[in-house]
Amino acid sequence: MNWRSMRARTTAIIVASFVLSHLVGYAFYHFDRREAVEMTEAVDLAERAAGISRLVRDLPLAWRNEVVKFSDSRAFRVWTSSTSPLEPERLSEAEQEILAYLRSQVPRIASNEMHARILERPASQVELPEFDAASRKGSPATAFDLPADGPGLVISIKHGPDDWINFSGAFNTPAPLLPDLLVANLISALIGIALVAFWLVGRVTGPLARFAEAAEALGRDLFTSPLPATGPQEVVRAAHAFNRMQARLRNMVQGRTEMLAAISHDLRTPLTQIQLRVEAMPSSEEQGRILGTIEDMNTLIGSFLAYARATHESEQRSKVDLGALVCTICDDLADCGGPVECESTEGLIVTCKRVAMKRALLNLIENAMKYGHSAQVAVSQKGDMVEVTIDDRGPGIPESDLPRLLLPFKRDDVGGSGGAASSGYGLGLAIAQAVVEDHGGELCFRNREGGGLRVQLIMPVATTPA
């Protein structure tokens, strides 16, 4: 999977948003629940302290020490002292609520001084005096120990002059921020959301991918199949607009090409009549010149027709061994005395119109022999592409003139080579380019080091063997 694709990035955004929102929501829930639980436990501790305070106050003095002793435990400490172990300080809202509840539970001493403090640090680190049964008063401050390390509550109630009863208890240790059940639930939900998001985003972005592929195919072949109009409404509208654009381009190109072919074809009728009348004239030097001009015009018209047919002929595409085809062309030219050499690997299969491709290759190789004195042809495969390289030993082309080589009616003497380059009408390379582009290929030109021009014809390999 391509992580730079819209599908992957959108899925990642959805998953990240899901995880972040759930973690933030759970954090709020956890801390809000923790405060609620602590407040509930603080009220329970205050209610228990109020009950012991009422009991100690109503019992005979001789029983007081025993009640305090048996009420004291490691989970809930009870002791008496001559002074409050808590210093008066600004109370929090929760501590004020606890004191108000405590006073409502001990109405007979509600006006007495009372202190309450919620411990935010572990209770084992708070120094409070322990109960001394012998003196009935508190001993000097020592480390106070509780079985649980966590927040707790300390309450001090004044029963009389120099007579305080104190209580301390720890809240239950809160659950960890990320319990195992939550982690397992989050992971399972994350996997489910990722799969669903990947599938849904794929459904949405799939038409966009097909749109890009159709645009690429349109650049290679105007007659490719129309783009399916599926997906979101915006994509459907874009697909319809794309198909209309393709139809207009196809009609425009086809109309101009057919007009060029029709004009070229219709010119041959009067040209043939002129040729017949000239041939009926007495032989003379002027007659020969006129016939030569007529022959040039016929050749030019033939070039027009070949250019018009380059991408619009009705030949069917088939699997062709491009290496074998190139070798056949080179052998035929060599048999006629052409300075051409070929090095090719057979079995390089492409899907093409065989006659049109042969015409394009023949034009390129003949150009190399005509203007570059010789042609060295090589066919090789690079990845999923087949490359035909044609090197010549000519003077090359100035870099500024290379882009003009493929323009129609621009002859190969753009660099000023002269000589044989003065013949022709500059349609050979244009025809070759039209054929190659019709097959989804590419035609490149560049000067070689040490002199000469290199032509590279690149074609995609057939997806299935011949």
Side-chain angles (χ1 to χ4, degrees):
M1 180 179 62
N2 184 7
W3 291 104
R4 298 182 61 184
S5 65
M6 182 184 295
R7 185 179 191 182
R9 292 185 177 185
T10 307
T11 302
I13 292 173
I14 293 175
V15 172
S17 302
F18 167 80
V19 174
L20 182 61
S21 63
H22 276 64
L23 289 179
V24 171
Y26 177 74
F28 281 121
Y29 165 78
H30 174 81
F31 290 114
D32 182 70
R33 175 180 175 274
R34 177 177 176 178
E35 292 179 359
V37 169
E38 289 180 356
M39 191 63 188
T40 300
E41 294 191 359
V43 170
D44 290 341
L45 291 175
E47 184 176 1
R48 185 175 178 182
I52 296 175
S53 176
R54 290 193 303 269
L55 182 62
V56 169
R57 183 175 181 82
D58 293 337
L59 289 176
L61 186 62
W63 294 5
R64 179 177 182 179
N65 289 344
E66 294 297 324
V67 171
V68 170
K69 179 179 178 181
F70 287 111
S71 299
D72 184 38
S73 65
R74 293 192 58 82
F76 185 76
R77 303 301 303 272
V78 182
W79 74 99
T80 59
S81 62
S82 58
T83 58
S84 173
L86 302 177
E87 295 293 335
E89 58 183 19
R90 183 180 180 87
L91 300 178
S92 65
E93 183 178 349
E95 291 170 342
Q96 293 176 7
E97 292 180 7
I98 293 171
L99 281 179
Y101 178 78
L102 185 61
R103 293 182 188 279
S104 68
Q105 298 297 310
V106 286
R108 288 189 294 171
I109 57 172
S111 59
N112 287 9
E113 187 177 357
M114 300 181 188
H115 297 157
R117 186 193 302 171
I118 295 178
L119 306 176
E120 297 297 338
R121 55 178 174 161
S124 59
Q125 299 178 8
V126 179
E127 292 186 351
L128 294 173
E130 293 185 348
F131 172 69
D132 185 348
S135 63
R136 295 172 54 194
K137 301 296 182 182
S139 61
T142 58
F144 185 70
D145 185 27
L146 284 177
D149 284 341
L153 176 67
V154 177
I155 296 175
S156 185
I157 302 175
K158 185 175 183 181
H159 278 211
D162 300 329
D163 187 11
W164 291 77
I165 184 168
N166 310 294
F167 310 90
S168 179
F171 303 148
N172 291 330
T173 303
L177 185 60
L178 293 176
D180 295 339
L181 183 60
L182 174 67
V183 174
N185 181 54
L186 185 63
I187 291 176
S188 61
L190 182 63
I191 294 175
I193 288 292
L195 293 176
V196 174
F198 190 77
W199 178 73
L200 288 178
V201 174
R203 291 290 301 272
V204 174
T205 59
L208 293 178
R210 292 194 295 271
F211 192 91
E213 294 172 358
E216 182 68 22
L218 180 64
R220 297 191 299 264
D221 183 9
L222 281 175
F223 296 88
T224 186
S225 300
L227 180 65
T230 59
Q233 181 180 3
E234 293 77 7
V235 177
V236 171
R237 292 176 58 189
H240 285 307
F242 181 86
N243 291 335
R244 291 193 296 268
M245 178 192 70
Q246 179 184 5
R248 288 193 294 267
L249 287 174
R250 183 169 57 242
N251 292 335
M252 181 183 66
V253 173
Q254 190 170 9
R256 291 185 178 183
T257 304
E258 290 176 352
M259 180 183 67
L260 176 62
I263 293 175
S264 301
H265 183 272
D266 292 344
L267 283 176
R268 281 190 164 175
T269 299
L271 196 60
T272 301
Q273 294 176 353
I274 294 174
Q275 183 178 3
L276 292 175
R277 291 178 181 180
V278 171
E279 289 177 349
M281 295 173 57
S283 298
S284 64
E285 182 178 352
E286 188 65 23
Q287 181 194 37
R289 292 177 180 176
I290 294 175
L291 290 175
T293 302
I294 294 174
E295 183 63 29
D296 290 342
M297 293 179 66
N298 271 321
T299 303
L300 178 59
I301 292 173
S303 299
F304 286 163
L305 292 174
Y307 181 69
R309 290 194 304 263
T311 58
H312 300 281
E313 55 191 354
S314 58
E315 181 186 357
Q316 297 296 319
R317 299 173 188 261
S318 61
K319 299 289 192 301
V320 176
D321 188 332
L322 190 61
L325 179 62
V326 172
C327 287
T328 301
I329 297 173
C330 293
D331 291 342
D332 292 341
L333 293 174
D335 291 342
C336 297
V340 59
E341 298 178 2
C342 180
E343 181 180 347
S344 173
T345 301
E346 295 185 358
L348 303 179
I349 308 301
V350 298
T351 302
C352 67
K353 301 175 181 178
R354 189 179 186 282
V355 175
M357 183 57 63
K358 183 176 181 179
R359 182 189 305 125
L361 291 169
L362 186 60
N363 285 347
L364 295 174
I365 298 173
E366 284 183 339
N367 268 8
M369 293 191 301
K370 186 175 183 180
Y371 306 119
H373 313 303
S374 67
Q376 295 179 329
V377 186
V379 184
S380 60
Q381 181 173 356
K382 294 185 177 179
D384 57 351
M385 307 296 286
V386 177
E387 182 177 287
V388 180
T389 303
I390 305 171
D391 295 335
D392 64 42
R393 298 178 181 176
I397 302 294
E399 294 293 333
S400 59
D401 290 333
L402 286 177
R404 299 173 53 200
L405 283 178
L406 294 175
L407 296 178
F409 310 108
K410 297 294 182 180
R411 294 181 305 196
D412 291 357
D413 62 340
V414 289
S417 59
S422 60
S423 61
Y425 299 97
L427 287 175
L429 293 180
I431 293 173
Q433 182 194 31
V435 172
V436 172
E437 290 184 347
D438 183 46
H439 290 81
E442 184 180 2
L443 202 58
C444 305
F445 296 84
R446 65 182 179 88
N447 288 306
R448 299 170 57 200
E449 294 183 3
L453 186 69
R454 168 167 290 183
V455 181
Q456 290 177 302
L457 188 156
I458 304 173
M459 288 276 295
V461 179
T463 55
T464 56

